[in-house]
């Protein structure tokens, strides 16, 4: 049946559209974008006062399946994505077992087909078991459909091994997504190294460890020609290095998480494990450098690094808690609250960072509203205010750094292949 999203402000940067109009889809495909559509014999959603955008894409999540389904699974994780207005996610390889062969990948893809609420792409491991010693089955993984390679959660310590991985990845036409923290400097740390960590008496992870790793891997990217994508950049120095590399023509891109744009290490002063992540949230100066990187185009995408843990795992003394938070249901709202409503970012730029560019980087359909394309659409109400409570979220964990906070702006409709998967906060699958 025909469905019309009516009277919304269409934000479609690829087509340079920012205008009030209607979006019509039928049989899973968009049939018109803009103008006024006839509502006869059609279902209708009134999007007055809302933005209608290409479906949001999160290119860095951890759905935890296989093997860690006590933390999250493909169904609950993609329910959380739908609740957050996200129509497509790319999940990382650090599962149990690691997604380091075509056989394991195919079993994950089968589970995705059976249980996912939104579209899911898979990122394959660089090394077997994420050990950084033997290459994964990269050829088989690429042939079976991974969109990139990453040992996320682990830094590839050997420069020679990373060089070989980049050479193979480039031959296969895939990028390397780099968890850039030199663990000889960072492994024993629990938060950003700085004034706050000294006051708290907690061993820190220095920003220099990230900068060293980024610098090394930019050099290796230049040597091999491989597209290097720096995951979850967190420090001003790393942004500076990436900015300069881009100016020189290096094949390097990067992303930032919504939480690194919103919080600083001041939030950890009560030893609150809700804010414990890797790389850590850093100083206000670093946060401002990240925002500047978003504004000037150095940073290509905003992601969640959605990495939930069980409540028992997080509800422990600070230094014992694992790194990682749930972010799929709060990322858009936090960006709207912290950057859109403060006048720092336009909605068009937010759509570029959270839809257009991720689609381009992982080379999937999306990022644009266009006749004949899949009806993957997000409707955003920028004015609605809501209080965040972990118990109300679809993710399995109760722990969110936004607990008890009021955010302004929220996805109110999520459409995947023409199917309404979330409406007014309720996930329908």
């Amino acid at each position: 049946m025909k469905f019309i999203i009516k009277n919304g402000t269409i934000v479609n940067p690829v087509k340079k559209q920012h205008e009030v109009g209607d979006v019509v889809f039928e049989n899973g495909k968009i049939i018109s974008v803009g103008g006024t559509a006839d509502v006869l014999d059609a279902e209708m959603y009134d999007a007055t006062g809302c933005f209608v955008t290409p479906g949001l894409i999160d290119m860095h999540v951890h759905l935890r399946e296989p093997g860690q389904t006590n933390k999250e699974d493909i169904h609950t994780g993609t329910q959380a994505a739908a609740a957050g207005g996200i129509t497509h996610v790319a999940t990382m390889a650090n599962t149990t077992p690691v997604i380091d062969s075509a056989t394991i990948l195919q079993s994950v893809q089968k589970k995705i087909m059976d249980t996912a609420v939104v579209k899911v792409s898979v990122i394959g491991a660089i090394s077997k078991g994420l050990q950084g010693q033997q290459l994964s089955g990269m050829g088989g993984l690429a042939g079976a459909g991974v969109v990139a390679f990453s040992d996320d959660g682990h830094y590839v310590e050997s420069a020679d091994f990373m060089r070989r991985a980049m050479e193979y990845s480039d031959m296969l036409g895939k990028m390397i997504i780099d968890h850039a923290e030199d663990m000889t400097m960072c492994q024993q740390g629990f938060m950003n190294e700085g004034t706050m960590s000294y006051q708290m008496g907690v061993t820190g992870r220095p920003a220099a460890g990230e900068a060293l790793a980024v610098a090394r891997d930019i050099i290796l990217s230049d040597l091999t020609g491989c597209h290097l994508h720096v995951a979850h950049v967190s420090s001003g120095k790393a942004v500076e290095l990436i900015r300069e590399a881009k100016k020189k023509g290096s094949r390097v891109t990067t992303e930032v998480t919504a939480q690194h744009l919103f919080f600083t290490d001041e939030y950890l002063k009560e030893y609150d494990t809700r804010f414990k992540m890797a790389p850590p949230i850093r100083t206000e100066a670093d946060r401002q450098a990240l925002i500047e990187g978003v504004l000037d185009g150095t940073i290509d995408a905003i992601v969640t690094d959605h990495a939930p843990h069980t409540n028992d795992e997080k509800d422990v003394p600070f230094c014992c808690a694992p790194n990682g938070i749930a972010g799929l249901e709060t990322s858009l709202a936090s960006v709207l609250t912290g950057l859109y409503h403060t006048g720092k970012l336009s909605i068009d730029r937010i759509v570029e960072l959270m839809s257009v560019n991720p689609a381009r980087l992982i080379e999937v359909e999306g990022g644009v509203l266009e006749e004949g394309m899949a009806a993957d659409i997000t409707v955003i109400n920028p004015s609605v205010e809501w209080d965040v409570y972990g118990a109300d979220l679809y993710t399995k964990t109760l722990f969110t750094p936004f607990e008890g906070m009021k955010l302004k702006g929220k996805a109110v409709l999520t459409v995947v292949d023409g199917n309404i998967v979330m409406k007014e906060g309720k996930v329908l699958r």
Side-chain angles (χ1 to χ4, degrees):
M1 186 176 184
K2 188 182 296 182
F3 195 102
I4 300 173
I5 299 173
K6 199 153 187 67
N7 300 324
T9 298
I10 299 167
V11 181
N12 197 17
V14 171
K15 297 294 184 180
K16 296 181 170 54
Q17 277 182 294
H18 187 119
E19 60 191 34
V20 175
D22 302 343
V23 176
V24 185
F25 56 91
E26 188 175 24
N27 298 324
K29 301 292 184 182
I30 296 172
I31 58 176
S32 69
V33 181
T36 301
D38 187 353
V39 297
L40 290 175
D41 300 320
E43 291 188 52
M44 191 266 289
Y45 182 87
D46 185 359
T48 301
C50 297
F51 298 124
V52 183
T53 77
L56 303 185
I57 299 173
D58 188 345
M59 58 180 288
H60 187 150
V61 307
H62 300 264
L63 296 182
R64 302 298 196 195
E65 193 169 6
Q68 302 166 28
T69 54
N70 57 328
K71 302 173 187 281
E72 193 76 284
D73 59 49
I74 289 166
H75 182 63
T76 59
T78 55
Q79 281 187 314
I86 296 164
T87 62
H88 195 141
V89 299
T91 186
M92 286 290 179
N94 58 337
T95 51
T96 308
V98 173
I99 306 172
D100 57 11
S101 71
T103 300
I104 296 169
L105 171 62
Q106 287 161 356
S107 70
V108 174
Q109 290 170 327
K110 175 64 165 60
K111 192 70 172 181
I112 289 166
M113 289 180 61
D114 291 342
T115 68
V117 177
V118 305
K119 294 178 178 177
V120 181
S121 294
V122 182
I123 296 161
I126 294 171
S127 67
K128 287 194 173 181
L130 307 179
Q131 295 300 304
Q133 297 177 356
Q134 185 177 356
L135 289 175
S136 69
M138 296 177 83
L141 287 164
V146 299
V147 294
F149 295 105
S150 181
D151 274 5
D152 187 56
H154 298 74
Y155 180 57
V156 178
E157 292 288 347
S158 166
D160 183 61
F161 184 87
M162 186 59 132
R163 174 188 179 176
R164 288 190 288 117
M166 285 188 175
E167 289 170 340
Y168 275 98
S169 189
D170 187 55
M171 285 190 292
L172 294 166
K174 304 295 179 184
M175 68 179 173
I176 291 280
I177 301 177
D178 189 18
H179 184 122
E181 280 189 293
D182 186 327
M183 297 312 290
T184 62
M185 295 189 72
C186 300
Q187 190 165 15
Q188 303 305 316
F190 302 101
M191 62 179 292
N192 179 59
E193 181 182 279
T195 302
M196 185 54 59
S197 68
Y198 300 145
Q199 290 177 359
M200 293 169 61
V202 173
T203 304
R205 298 166 84 107
E210 179 178 70
L212 284 169
V214 168
R216 185 203 77 173
D217 290 336
I218 288 172
I219 292 170
L220 292 177
S221 172
D222 288 343
L223 176 66
T224 62
C226 180
H227 178 181
L228 172 71
H229 182 81
V230 178
H232 41 47
V233 67
S234 67
S235 66
K237 183 61 178 178
V239 171
E240 180 184 326
L241 289 166
I242 294 164
R243 180 182 290 117
E244 291 306 309
K246 283 189 165 191
K247 287 179 182 177
K248 294 175 182 177
S250 297
R251 288 188 72 195
V252 58
T253 54
T254 192
E255 66 191 33
V256 66
T257 76
Q259 55 269 21
H260 283 90
L261 293 171
F262 199 94
F263 298 111
T264 70
D265 57 358
E266 292 282 336
Y267 282 83
L268 282 81
K269 61 186 177 184
E270 300 299 329
Y271 303 90
D272 194 332
T273 63
R274 291 177 302 153
F275 301 96
K276 190 165 184 280
M277 62 195 75
I281 46 177
R282 301 194 189 273
T283 66
E284 177 63 15
D286 288 306
R287 189 179 80 90
Q288 291 299 327
L290 295 173
I291 293 172
E292 183 58 35
V294 166
L295 295 176
D296 70 12
T298 300
I299 294 174
D300 301 272
I302 296 175
V303 301
T304 65
D305 191 13
H306 176 82
H309 295 281
T310 66
N311 304 318
D312 288 343
E313 287 174 315
K314 288 295 255 187
D315 192 16
V316 295
F318 183 77
C319 291
C320 299
N323 294 307
I325 68 159
L328 284 165
E329 294 166 81
T330 53
S331 60
L332 171 63
S334 69
V335 170
L336 291 169
T337 301
L339 298 176
Y340 173 75
H341 287 297
T342 57
K344 292 183 174 68
L345 270 189
S346 69
I347 188 63
D348 300 76
R349 180 68 178 138
I350 290 170
V351 172
E352 288 177 347
L353 290 157
M354 299 185 77
S355 180
V356 178
N357 292 351
R360 172 178 55 83
L361 287 165
I362 61 172
E363 297 182 314
V364 296
E365 182 183 21
V368 61
L369 299 173
E370 187 173 20
E371 292 178 17
M373 290 193 66
D376 296 342
I377 304 166
T378 303
V379 179
I380 302 164
N381 184 336
S383 302
V384 63
E385 294 185 338
W386 59 292
D387 298 316
V388 181
Y389 295 103
D392 298 334
L393 302 180
Y394 280 90
T395 180
K396 287 186 176 182
T397 183
L398 296 175
F399 278 79
T400 167
F402 295 94
E403 182 75 22
M405 292 187 184
K406 186 179 293 293
L407 298 179
K408 186 175 183 180
K410 194 174 190 181
V412 292
L413 192 76
T414 307
V415 183
V416 178
D417 279 334
N419 297 304
I420 310 299
V421 297
M422 185 278 289
K423 185 175 182 180
E424 305 298 345
K426 182 176 177 58
V427 176
L428 304 178
R429 294 178 58 189

